[in-house]
Amino acid sequence: MLHLKNSILNGERRNILIDKGLFVSTNAPESVPDAEETVDCAGAAVLPAFFNAHTHNAMTLMRGYADDICLDEWLRDYIWPFEEKLTPDDIRHGSELAAREMIHTGSVAMNDMYFDIEQTIDVTRKYGLRALIGITVMDNHSLSESRKKMDFVVNEWKDPTGGRINLAMAPHSLYTVGKDNLVKTAAFAREHGIKIHIHVAETRLEVENCLRDHGMTPVRYLDSIGVLGPDVIAAHCVHVDREEWDILAERGVTAVNCPCSNMKIASGRFHYEEALASGAKIALGTDGCCSNNNLDLREEMKFATLLAKVAGDPTLLPAPEALKWATRNGAEAMGFDSGLVEEGRLADCILVDMSAPAMNPCHNIVSNWVYAADPSCIKAVICDGKVLESK
């Protein structure tokens, strides 16, 4: 049992009690003798922790390795050759760097798409984080290994954390996975009740090639073959028209905006106007460190709101909505009842130092958190009712 004493919640001083990984009271007494630990949070605000809805954790190993290069050359000559040389030990090391960075910047969960998932699973367990971990499927990238992992889901999978890890099927994209494997992968995921994580409409070239090969755009194509549904997390969704946004909304798909990556590799600007008008579910992700170059989801919130407004409407994507994308929406997409500091929810939160210069003056705490703060404002990160260590 963890007792957060004298914290600030929604502008009021509150004592918060956490037990068995849940917020059991947000109006607890000053003293809780049975608490295993009491943390005096005087001067600290409690905010929901971040859920990074699209990552490639081990790509921390490529941070700064191939910057400022055109996408085709970047993938062909740098990223893919680098990845071919990675060993399971490399992937573990990269995943540990990612775990430490996410804790340092306020994230308690990631939706990861990469290889050697055993390494990511163990790192997630070790650092006390949550994760949706994808079994990556690519037509030309060890399909036998993917099938082996699929058999693992059916016959052997048991969450070593007791509920902090969910599995997903992760067909990489339309340009790396053909129709047959897309359909089979989606069917497998639904048969076993797990999520589907896929890149969708990230670049204009992807859209052009989909039109050439299938006579329709990526969202329409995925819908036509029955892949889209409320269990799908679609990363990027940069080049999506209004009708496609309506399709995504109707199917209950969660689209993940990755503004920093989209800018850095010149994928384009997320169509905030159409996305918000459609009512589609939207979360935030950083993408991998080779195209960002960090895993700071608070920074992602700020860039998302500024990019929304740059087209001319300063009211588009206000700070509270961006915070919801980075917290509650990401948690729901990954299958966790979290992202809000409420009784009965999973006990995931951040303690923010209200004496930090970036948090003062405090006319509006959410605005300060989205537009002004940085990781130095974070006093502690709590996941599943436990204070995490980033070392």
Side-chain angles (χ1 to χ4, degrees), residues 46-276:
V46 180
L47 289 170
F50 295 133
F51 283 71
N52 192 336
H54 179 61
T55 67
H56 307 287
N57 280 3
M59 282 186 162
T60 52
L61 298 175
M62 289 172 256
R63 191 195 324 262
Y65 164 68
D67 288 340
D68 310 319
I69 298 170
C70 291
L71 181 61
D72 288 347
E73 180 186 356
W74 181 72
L75 286 171
R76 183 186 65 247
D77 298 340
Y78 293 89
I79 303 306
W80 289 338
F82 190 106
E83 288 183 322
E84 287 177 0
K85 299 175 184 176
L86 293 178
T87 67
D89 282 346
D90 293 330
I91 289 172
R92 182 182 184 86
H93 180 56
S95 296
E96 288 200 334
L97 285 172
R100 290 165 53 199
E101 183 175 355
M102 280 190 281
I103 294 169
H104 177 69
T105 56
S107 288
V108 298
M110 78 293 292
N111 178 24
D112 192 55
M113 179 191 291
Y114 217 64
F115 311 105
D116 291 293
I117 65 170
E118 295 88 351
Q119 305 303 322
T120 313
I121 288 169
D122 196 51
V123 168
T124 301
R125 177 201 58 77
K126 174 183 174 181
Y127 282 86
L129 292 163
R130 301 190 189 279
L132 179 63
I133 297 175
I135 298 169
T136 300
V137 176
M138 299 171 72
D139 285 352
N140 297 317
H141 195 105
S142 186
L143 276 179
S144 62
E145 185 65 20
S146 295
R147 292 191 183 101
K148 188 189 304 180
K149 294 293 190 297
M150 291 161 77
D151 291 338
F152 167 74
V153 172
V154 177
N155 301 314
E156 301 177 43
W157 167 247
K158 185 177 180 181
D159 180 2
T161 69
R164 288 188 282 107
I165 296 176
N166 294 327
L167 294 183
M169 293 307 300
H172 178 268
S173 61
L174 291 181
Y175 53 89
T176 58
V177 185
K179 178 181 177 181
D180 186 49
N181 278 322
L182 282 170
V183 172
K184 287 180 179 178
T185 300
F188 178 88
R190 285 163 184 155
E191 179 183 352
H192 297 284
I194 61 177
K195 301 278 187 175
I196 301 165
H197 180 196
I198 183 172
H199 296 85
V200 177
E202 182 176 1
T203 66
R204 286 191 179 88
L205 181 62
E206 179 186 339
V207 175
E208 291 167 2
N209 288 344
C210 192
L211 284 166
R212 179 197 66 202
D213 296 338
H214 306 293
M216 59 186 84
T217 56
V219 170
R220 292 180 177 89
Y221 176 66
L222 288 170
D223 194 42
S224 74
I225 61 175
V227 170
L228 299 184
D231 50 1
V232 171
I233 302 171
H236 295 288
C237 295
V238 177
H239 299 282
V240 175
D241 63 34
R242 177 54 196 271
E243 183 181 82
E244 289 179 298
W245 274 115
D246 288 340
I247 292 170
L248 293 173
E250 288 167 10
R251 301 292 181 263
V253 172
T254 296
V256 184
N257 182 18
C258 305
C260 291
S261 176
N262 294 340
M263 287 189 290
K264 186 166 182 285
I265 59 176
S267 294
R269 176 182 175 269
F270 188 79
H271 293 179
Y272 295 90
E273 297 82 357
E274 290 86 353
L276 289 164

